């Protein structure tokens, strides 16, 4: 329902006075000429129910004479007021009904035509006046809102002015280089503002820069990137990009640009904050160079260590071999002294082994095997091997080992022995004289645990955190006991590679406990022992040894004669060795790798080409002890690999093994 503004203005002919009343007064109580409380008394009628609403709807006047006689419901209200005749006329301006104007009389019964015509004229005039009033009112209202909007704009403008001032202050005092690039509609971009830091960085004056196209300061190799930024910045709003700027003197400087896009008065502005990356880049470059240098140094160190150990192994081989021979034959003081030479050689050999293991670990090529290993045998063997040094130090070793028992774990027998030996020799070394070392093994649900405990002075908390690091030794032991600081780092590495765990607990002046845990293997019995080497089997067993070092040739020949009672034929180089294998049949070939003219690997290949030597075992004897060297030799046709200095027992075990293979099976 459209609301009609203005209401009935009634002219009381009997009173000769106008009264404003409104059938819609409840909807427009503030209408001029009618009081709020008075308006409230009027019953609210729906539009069209009252005469004025009806007139407004039809845009036609209603003339009602002789009202008391009428039954028209619209006239009931008028009738109640005691009105006898009534005229309600629409107030129309520009074809719009603005209200109605009513005239009524309580004393007369009807209006004369002249009066009705007059009313029509009055209503026409009132309509125009009302329209003007309304227009005025509307104008005033619009004016008021306009004034309000202007005030708000003024406040905003003041704020933006002060912000602009602040922005300019920040812009021009910033230590970071800041540039404002402006891009007018379809026009070419230009530097609108540049700060002092830019001028200092690039060497151009602000005026020079403002005359240059912004892309002129970008190095040619970054032009494409900047084109891409220009295309996407409007969507992205903010972007960062690393480019090079070209200074006035032509020098290039790496910069990190942070670009944001802004719009103001129909123009697009790009605020660019640039950070000089010269120092950071130089630092990064220095780091890269440092890394390369340290990798080179590391490689050189590894090469040096393996070369040095190789050089040391050859003479050590002779020393150990002869010492073993003399020790086995001699008696009394000579026996004792050679025992010491042998022990010192073993110590030196161990040092070389540790260094090589460490180098191997660093290069990532020291892998451990995972096979069932009897933990009890390993512990027993390890105790046997350190017993002598325990006795010298007055240390007593106790254990819960039952020689006949077995407990199998998944691991590498050699590495595991090395681990247990390291822990045991540390316990003896650091446990103090007259100490007690206890070795326990425990079977757990799916793993087995070895504990090595001593009652020595213990380890400080700050050392405990570091003793598994390579080359770390606590201050207390530095000058007191010899050591390399490598043992525990190898324990850590080997145990981890065997999928095990390790740990240490220590209490000052009470002692230290080292433990390792390894996954249990799925076997419960040991592999059958190799049959004992029978004298008759080795009678016809012939061995060839190709080695350029005369000392080593002589040593092995002696050892074969004295301990093995096996004939050893020797050759000083690959060619004479090859000649010998073609002339005679050998059951086993021992071959040095580092031979002059034709190296051991080539000799091995040539021997393997001879039809009768395809199955004959060829064992490498070499001072090269890196895992990768061994691996390569085994892949090139060797059956086994012995590292110099050769342990006489290991060599014997190996020869036993091959004699067994070539021997005719013994009758039951
Ligand atoms: P090394 O024994 O050659 O010094 P390790 O790596 O085996 O090297 O040991 C590192 C350090 O840990 C030792 O130098 C010593 O300070 C400390 N350590 C190892 N075992 C013990 C122990 N049982 N008691 C006291 N300190 C020990």
């Amino acid at each position: 329902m459209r609301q009609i503004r203005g209401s009935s203005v009634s002219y009381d002919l009997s009173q000769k006075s106008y009264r404003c009343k409104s059938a819609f007064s409840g909807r427009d109580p503030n209408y001029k000429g009618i009081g709020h409380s008075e308006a409230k008394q009027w019953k609210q009628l729906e539009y069209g129910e009252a005469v004025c609403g009806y007139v407004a709807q039809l845009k036609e006047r209603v003339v009602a004479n002789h009202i008391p006689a009428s039954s028209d419901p619209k006239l009931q209200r008028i009738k109640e007021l005691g009105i006898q005749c009534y005229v309600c006329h629409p107030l129309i301006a520009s074809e719009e009904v603005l209200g109605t104007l009513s005239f009524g009389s309580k004393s007369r019964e009807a209006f004369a035509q002249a009066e009705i015509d007059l009313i029509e004229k009055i209503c026409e005039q009132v309509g125009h006046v009302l329209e003007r009033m309304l227009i005025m009112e509307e104008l005033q209202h619009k004016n008021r809102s306009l004034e309000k909007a202007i005030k708000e704009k003024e406040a905003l403008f003041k704020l933006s002015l002060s912000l602009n001032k602040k922005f300019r202050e920040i812009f021009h005092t910033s230590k970071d280089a800041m540039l404002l690039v402006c891009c007018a509609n379809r026009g070419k971009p230009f530097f609108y503002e540049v700060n002092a830091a830019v001028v200092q960085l690039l060497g151009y004056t602000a005026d020079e820069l403002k005359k240059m196209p912004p892309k002129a300061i970008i190095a040619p190799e970054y032009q494409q990137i900047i084109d891409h930024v220009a295309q996407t910045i409007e969507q992205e709003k903010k972007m960062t990009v690393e480019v090079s700027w070209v200074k006035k003197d032509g020098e290039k400087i790496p910069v990190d640009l942070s670009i944001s896009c802004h719009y103001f008065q129909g123009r697009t502005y790009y605020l660019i904050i640039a950070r000089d990356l010269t120092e950071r880049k130089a630092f990064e470059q220095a780091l890269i160079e440092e890394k390369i240098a340290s990798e080179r140094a590391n490689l050189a160190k590894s090469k040096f260590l393996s070369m040095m150990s190789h050089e040391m192994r050859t003479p050590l081989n002779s020393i150990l071999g002869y010492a073993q021979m003399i020790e086995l034959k001699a008696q009394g003081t000579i026996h004792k002294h050679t025992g010491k030479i042998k022990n010192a050689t073993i110590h030196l050999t161990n040092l070389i082994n540790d260094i090589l293991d460490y180098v191997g670990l660093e290069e990532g090529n020291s892998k451990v095997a995972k096979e069932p290993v009897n933990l009890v045998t390993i512990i027993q063997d390890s105790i046997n091997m350190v017993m002598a040094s325990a006795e010298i130090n007055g240390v007593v070793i106790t254990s819960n080992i039952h020689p006949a028992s077995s407990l199998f774990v998944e691991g590498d027998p050699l590495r595991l022995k090395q681990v247990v030996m390291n822990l045991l020799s540390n316990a003896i070394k650091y446990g103090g004289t007259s100490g007690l070392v206890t070795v326990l093994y425990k079977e757990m649900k799916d793993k087995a645990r070895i504990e090595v405990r001593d009652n020595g002075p213990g380890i400080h908390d700050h050392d405990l955190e570091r003793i598994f690091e390579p080359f770390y030794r606590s201050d207390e032991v530095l000058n007191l006991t010899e050591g390399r600081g490598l043992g525990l780092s190898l324990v850590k590495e080997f145990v981890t590679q065997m999928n095990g765990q390790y740990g240490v607990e220590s209490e000052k002046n009470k002692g230290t406990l080292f433990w390792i845990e390894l996954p249990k293997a799925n076997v419960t019995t040991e592999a059958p022992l190799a049959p004992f080497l029978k004298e008759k089997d080795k009678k016809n067993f012939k061995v060839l040894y190709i080695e350029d070092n005369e000392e080593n040739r002589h040593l092995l020949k002696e050892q074969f004669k004295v301990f093995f009672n096996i004939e050893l034929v020797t050759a000083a180089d690959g060619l004479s060795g090859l000649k010998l294998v073609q002339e005679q049949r050998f059951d086993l070939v021992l071959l040095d790798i580092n031979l002059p003219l034709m190296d051991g690997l080539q000799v091995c290949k040539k021997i393997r080409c001879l039809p009768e030597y395809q199955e004959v075992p060829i064992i490498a004897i070499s001072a090269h002890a890196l895992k990768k060297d061994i691996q390569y030799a085994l892949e090139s046709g060797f059956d086994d690999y012995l590292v110099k200095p050769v342990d006489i027992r290991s060599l014997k075990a190996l020869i036993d093994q091959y004699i067994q293979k070539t021997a005719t099976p013994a009758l039951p």
Side-chain angles (χ1 to χ4, degrees), residues 23 91 127 205 244 262 336 412 433 466 480 482 490 499 507 517-518 521 668:
L91 300 172
T205 64
S244 278
H262 309 266
K336 250 191 195 167
D412 184 316
T433 42
R466 302 196 55 193
L480 293 177
E482 59 177 31
L490 291 173
N499 295 335
E507 210 176 321
E517 287 172 2
L518 291 167

Side-chain angles (χ1 to χ4, degrees), residues 224-468:
Q224 263 191 349
I225 293 180
I226 286 298
D227 287 344
H228 173 73
V229 171
Q231 279 160 17
T232 45
I233 184 75
E234 296 220 5
Q235 291 157 13
E236 305 283 328
K237 299 286 176 255
K238 265 187 184 173
M239 288 177 94
T240 50
V241 60
E242 268 189 38
V243 298
S244 278
W245 274 356
V246 186
K247 287 167 60 168
K248 191 176 181 180
D249 60 12
E251 191 197 332
K252 286 183 187 171
I253 36 168
V255 280
D256 176 73
L257 305 182
S258 159
I259 310 168
S260 54
C261 182
H262 309 266
Y263 305 99
F264 187 63
Q265 294 183 337
R267 289 176 163 195
T268 311
Y269 292 86
Y270 304 103
L271 175 65
I272 302 166
I273 303 173
R275 189 153 290 180
D276 184 359
L277 299 179
T278 313
E279 260 179 44
R280 201 186 85 189
K281 290 275 173 194
F283 182 66
E284 279 173 6
Q285 188 56 33
L287 273 185
I288 293 169
E289 277 164 19
E290 217 170 275
K291 193 170 168 254
I292 293 171
S294 93
E295 275 170 5
R296 253 192 234 133
N298 224 15
L299 206 71
K301 181 195 77 185
S302 299
K303 270 195 186 150
F304 169 74
L305 283 173
S306 61
M307 192 190 76
M308 183 200 77
S309 65
H310 176 264
E311 291 307 309
M312 285 169 80
R313 267 171 196 279
T314 312
L316 273 176
N317 195 34
S318 299
I319 301 170
L320 184 65
Y322 284 116
Q324 275 181 330
M325 277 182 69
I326 299 167
E327 194 194 20
L328 285 168
K329 291 266 171 189
Q331 310 239 317
T333 345
I334 298 181
H335 177 82
K336 250 191 195 167
H337 289 169
T338 43
K340 283 189 178 164
I341 296 173
K342 191 190 80 185
N343 285 343
T345 319
I346 289 171
H347 176 81
L348 220 56
T349 312
N350 286 342
L351 168 63
I352 290 170
N353 285 341
D354 276 0
I355 290 175
L356 284 172
D357 279 338
Y358 179 67
V359 172
L361 286 175
E362 272 208 324
E363 291 176 348
N365 54 22
S366 191
K367 294 271 172 297
V368 298
K370 285 190 195 92
E371 58 190 64
V373 186
N374 187 355
L375 200 86
V376 182
T377 319
I378 296 282
I379 299 176
Q380 189 60 65
D381 285 358
S382 308
I383 293 177
N384 289 346
M385 288 177 87
V386 297
M387 206 48 119
S389 83
E391 272 166 23
I392 293 167
N393 286 289
V395 173
V396 176
I397 303 179
T398 62
S399 81
N400 66 341
I401 294 233
H402 205 284
S405 59
S406 63
L407 175 55
F408 285 88
V409 290
E410 280 286 334
D412 184 316
L414 278 179
R415 296 312 189 192
L416 188 52
K417 200 183 272 180
Q418 211 174 331
V419 166
V420 179
M421 287 271 295
N422 270 338
L423 297 181
L424 272 173
S425 46
N426 276 354
I428 295 166
K429 200 161 54 167
Y430 302 116
T433 42
S434 320
L436 180 67
V437 172
T438 317
V439 189
L440 298 176
Y441 74 93
K442 294 175 184 172
E443 186 170 358
M444 297 159 90
K445 196 168 167 253
D446 42 15
K447 52 190 176 182
R449 180 177 166 105
I450 305 175
E451 291 184 356
V452 179
R453 189 187 292 273
D454 66 60
N455 59 348
I459 307 172
H460 274 298
D461 282 354
H462 60 263
D463 289 320
L464 270 185
E465 291 166 13
R466 302 196 55 193
I467 51 171
F468 288 96

